[in-house]
Amino acid sequence: MATGRTHRPATRSRGIPEATVARLPLYLRALTALSERSVPTVSSEELAAAAGVNSAKLRKDFSYLGSYGTRGVGYDVEYLVYQISRELGLTQDWPVVIVGIGNLGAALANYGGFASRGFRVAALIDADPAMAGKPVAGIPVQHTDELEKIITDNGVSIGVIATPAGAAQQVCDRLVAAGVTSILNFAPTVLTVPDGVDVRKVDLSIELQILAFHEQRKAGEEAAALDGAVPAPAGRDDSRTDRTERTGRTGGTDQGPDGDVPAVMPA
Amino acid sequence: MATGRTHRPATRSRGIPEATVARLPLYLRALTALSERSVPTVSSEELAAAAGVNSAKLRKDFSYLGSYGTRGVGYDVEYLVYQISRELGLTQDWPVVIVGIGNLGAALANYGGFASRGFRVAALIDADPAMAGKPVAGIPVQHTDELEKIITDNGVSIGVIATPAGAAQQVCDRLVAAGVTSILNFAPTVLTVPDGVDVRKVDLSIELQILAFHEQRKAGEEAAALDGAVPAPAGRDDSRTDRTERTGRTGGTDQGPDGDVPAVMPA
DNA sequence: AACTGTGAAGTACTTCACAGCA
DNA sequence: TGCTGTGAAGTACTTCACAGTT
């Protein structure tokens, strides 16, 4: 797919930072909640609090979409919901297939947030013949043999992989060959895909390990605070590793698209 | 949001960038795979490919931990596994509780990666009295009433919230009050926590929405290619994107530690 | 008076490119 | 020679702070 800056001046200067894109769903969720409570307008300060980010960041983010607010007043909730939905491509309905209907796959199939958020589970696919025909979340599971046909017939471009790690790459290859260009991968594996295909990864053990890192550091600091002179919680450092005082982050409430590395780049 | 962060002068600088921390689990997984195949050493180039990042980034990341490689040779696999495990705090076993044993909670409980990666499911907790005593993944579910006792008795500092959104904040408050200082939140809600408590969020619908954004953009570019001046070659194309070392692997897609905003959700 | 939108300044992360060591 | 380790340069993101608008 087109790489580089494909010169497209017609619409507003495209080029929304990836970090901003990653926060739009957050804003959308907060706005949807406000909308359900029939709140007509909201200030950047209020909305930012609801989304768990700071208001300067939110305003900057919105400035990439256009000027949708009113100075002295704030943002019209309904209007913003529409604009962000449109920007995210949620004004259309994306058919999605879930491959691998184990515990996790079933949980995903049962997730209620699909329909309401621009997605539709087009099919559930599993390699186990015994699963075939069994309904999960009201949708009959189909066998992997049908994969290509399902993708084609339904015009599916987004696939969710919830298989064991060993099967993930193969499933991925078949999805891509059949026309899928965006993949959400729950298997603990790095997927190799051709250019033009986006992959995002969700991985429980990685998240836990990151928490463990910070948890350990907290323990270390407590210990250090007690004796001041000799740190060294069990199994600490061999010698050289350097260290600096921790950087500010953490602690508080910034669960936003945290300092992670964007998983996907549109190249 | 650094709170009154105790400044620790004595020890030298341990300021591992958050982005680096988020990638350590990735390296660890790749190294573990190499270790299982009894590979003794690995170069930054090879390991980077296996982890899905580029080699300069990997070397820089490792440089924050110390100098664990050998010039002209590479890294000793076992030694690196140990060093990274230690850095992440995985040389100890973290007891974890999962609250909310619906589809997702059960999937998490059944997830095999815990034990092998430094974590142990200390307890499963659910608010439904009918669930109490029922074994899930071989562990009997306990009622929410027991939450505080469970946390205290097991010295749990990491909690996983897999409840419906409406219950998440309340569960979070109780976990924190009982002593939990790290939370992995699967509920589609922004949690408010005191300083010193880390929250990481995993949210399926957010991930899908980010994919939809890019998917939509691809569609838009195709359309633009049809009428525009530049006839973009279907599929391929590399305009001027740097042709760095393309290790046949992951074409352009960097599945780094997800950046940012993970996603999933309970029933 | 209240609140948005945005240049400019600041910070974090990535990539380059090469010195230095085994 | 081959590959690590790292300053320096480059890029992306965040935050500040205030001019502009209703």
Side-chain angles (χ1 to χ4, degrees), chain B residues 105-242:
Chain B
L108 298 176
N110 277 292
Y111 174 54
F114 279 114
S116 61
R117 295 185 198 285
F119 303 95
R120 176 171 49 84
V121 179
L124 304 179
I125 302 176
D126 197 279
D128 181 359
M131 292 285 294
K134 258 178 62 181
V136 171
I139 302 169
V141 175
Q142 295 179 263
H143 189 265
T144 318
D145 289 347
E146 312 294 322
L147 190 147
E148 286 76 11
K149 185 174 192 318
I150 294 167
I151 301 293
T152 310
D153 290 358
N154 294 276
V156 173
S157 56
I158 300 179
V160 176
I161 297 180
T163 66
Q169 182 63 59
Q170 188 189 320
V171 165
C172 173
D173 292 345
R174 288 180 63 184
L175 288 173
V176 171
V180 166
T181 46
S182 287
I183 290 176
L184 182 51
N185 179 31
F186 285 85
T189 277
V190 174
L191 293 179
T192 301
V193 296
D195 271 4
V197 175
D198 285 339
V199 176
R200 292 192 67 87
K201 190 177 40 160
V202 176
D203 190 318
L204 168 68
S205 72
I206 287 181
E207 295 302 322
L208 282 177
Q209 287 173 22
I210 294 170
L211 284 176
F213 173 86
H214 293 300
E215 200 55 47
Q216 172 182 238
R217 179 174 294 197
K218 286 176 202 164
E221 272 174 22
E222 262 160 41
L226 290 178
D227 65 35
V230 187
R236 292 232 67 108
D237 168 42
D238 246 314
S239 37
R240 37 123 275 208
T241 313
D242 57 296

Side-chain angles (χ1 to χ4, degrees), chain A residues 220-237:
Chain A
E221 276 176 16
E222 263 159 40
L226 290 178
D227 65 23
V230 185
R236 197 63 153 198
D237 155 32

Side-chain angles (χ1 to χ4, degrees), chain A residues 179-190:
Chain A
V180 166
T181 45
S182 287
I183 291 176
L184 183 52
N185 179 31
F186 285 85
T189 278
V190 173

Side-chain angles (χ1 to χ4, degrees), chain B:
Chain B
M1 313 5 209
T3 335
R5 216 14 102 188
T6 353
H7 222 23
R8 225 162 12 120
T11 16
R12 249 190 316 173
S13 72
R14 164 152 312 182
I16 302 180
E18 192 58 31
T20 294
V21 172
R23 280 187 296 267
L24 292 181
L26 231 55
Y27 302 143
L28 184 55
R29 175 170 294 156
L31 285 165
T32 302
L34 291 171
S35 172
E36 278 162 8
R37 292 198 280 123
S38 301
V39 176
T41 62
V42 66
S43 70
S44 62
E45 198 70 55
E46 294 164 332
L47 183 54
V53 306
N54 86 37
S55 65
K57 193 187 282 182
L58 176 145
R59 288 200 302 279
K60 188 61 127 181
D61 283 343
F62 286 179
S63 79
Y64 293 117
L65 310 184
S67 292
Y68 297 143
T70 306
R71 288 165 204 247
V73 179
Y75 301 92
D76 181 275
V77 172
E78 297 301 331
Y79 185 53
L80 246 196
V81 164
Y82 170 72
Q83 290 300 345
I84 294 179
S85 295
R86 189 175 55 78
E87 197 63 58
L88 285 171
L90 303 180
T91 46
Q92 61 188 287
D93 228 54
W94 298 94
V96 168
V97 297
I98 301 175
V99 187
I101 312 303
N103 274 292
L104 178 62
L108 298 176
N110 277 292
Y111 174 54
F114 279 114
S116 61
R117 295 185 198 285
F119 303 95
R120 176 171 49 84
V121 179
L124 304 179
I125 302 176
D126 197 279
D128 181 359
M131 292 285 294
K134 258 178 62 181
V136 171
I139 302 169
V141 175
Q142 295 179 263
H143 189 265
T144 318
D145 289 347
E146 312 294 322
L147 190 147
E148 286 76 11
K149 185 174 192 318
I150 294 167
I151 301 293
T152 310
D153 290 358
N154 294 276
V156 173
S157 56
I158 300 179
V160 176
I161 297 180
T163 66
Q169 182 63 59
Q170 188 189 320
V171 165
C172 173
D173 292 345
R174 288 180 63 184
L175 288 173
V176 171
V180 166
T181 46
S182 287
I183 290 176
L184 182 51
N185 179 31
F186 285 85
T189 277
V190 174
L191 293 179
T192 301
V193 296
D195 271 4
V197 175
D198 285 339
V199 176
R200 292 192 67 87
K201 190 177 40 160
V202 176
D203 190 318
L204 168 68
S205 72
I206 287 181
E207 295 302 322
L208 282 177
Q209 287 173 22
I210 294 170
L211 284 176
F213 173 86
H214 293 300
E215 200 55 47
Q216 172 182 238
R217 179 174 294 197
K218 286 176 202 164
E221 272 174 22
E222 262 160 41
L226 290 178
D227 65 35
V230 187
R236 292 232 67 108
D237 168 42
D238 246 314
S239 37
R240 37 123 275 208
T241 313
D242 57 296
R243 356 193 1 79
T244 14
E245 10 87 61
R246 170 132 300 158
T247 27
R249 299 215 127 246
T250 308
T253 307
D254 185 355
Q255 312 165 41
D258 128 48
D260 16 308
V261 193
V264 173
M265 151 71 189

Side-chain angles (χ1 to χ4, degrees), chain A residues 11-243:
Chain A
T11 338
R12 194 174 309 282
S13 58
R14 240 69 279 243
I16 301 178
E18 192 57 33
T20 294
V21 172
R23 280 187 296 267
L24 292 180
L26 233 54
Y27 302 143
L28 184 55
R29 176 171 291 156
L31 284 164
T32 302
L34 291 171
S35 173
E36 278 162 8
R37 292 198 280 122
S38 300
V39 176
T41 62
V42 66
S43 70
S44 62
E45 199 68 56
E46 293 164 333
L47 183 54
V53 305
N54 87 37
S55 64
K57 193 186 282 181
L58 177 146
R59 288 200 302 279
K60 188 60 127 183
D61 283 342
F62 286 178
S63 79
Y64 294 116
L65 310 184
S67 290
Y68 297 144
T70 306
R71 289 166 203 248
V73 178
Y75 301 92
D76 181 277
V77 172
E78 297 301 331
Y79 186 54
L80 245 196
V81 164
Y82 170 72
Q83 291 298 347
I84 294 178
S85 295
R86 191 174 53 77
E87 197 65 56
L88 285 172
L90 304 181
T91 46
Q92 61 187 290
D93 227 54
W94 298 95
V96 169
V97 298
I98 301 174
V99 187
I101 313 303
N103 275 293
L104 178 61
L108 297 176
N110 277 291
Y111 172 52
F114 279 114
S116 61
R117 296 185 198 281
F119 302 95
R120 175 171 50 82
V121 179
L124 304 181
I125 302 176
D126 198 280
D128 181 0
M131 292 286 294
K134 258 178 64 178
V136 170
I139 301 169
V141 174
Q142 294 177 264
H143 190 264
T144 317
D145 290 346
E146 311 293 323
L147 190 147
E148 285 77 10
K149 185 175 191 320
I150 294 168
I151 301 293
T152 310
D153 291 358
N154 293 276
V156 173
S157 56
I158 301 178
V160 177
I161 297 180
T163 66
Q169 183 63 59
Q170 188 190 320
V171 166
C172 173
D173 292 345
R174 289 181 64 185
L175 288 173
V176 170
V180 166
T181 45
S182 287
I183 291 176
L184 183 52
N185 179 31
F186 285 85
T189 278
V190 173
L191 293 179
T192 299
V193 296
D195 271 4
V197 176
D198 284 339
V199 177
R200 291 192 68 86
K201 191 177 39 158
V202 175
D203 191 317
L204 168 69
S205 73
I206 286 181
E207 296 300 322
L208 281 176
Q209 287 173 21
I210 295 170
L211 284 176
F213 172 85
H214 293 300
E215 198 56 45
Q216 173 182 238
R217 188 152 56 171
K218 287 176 201 164
E221 276 176 16
E222 263 159 40
L226 290 178
D227 65 23
V230 185
R236 197 63 153 198
D237 155 32
D238 303 10
S239 53
R240 52 151 67 106
T241 318
D242 341 47
R243 43 188 61 190

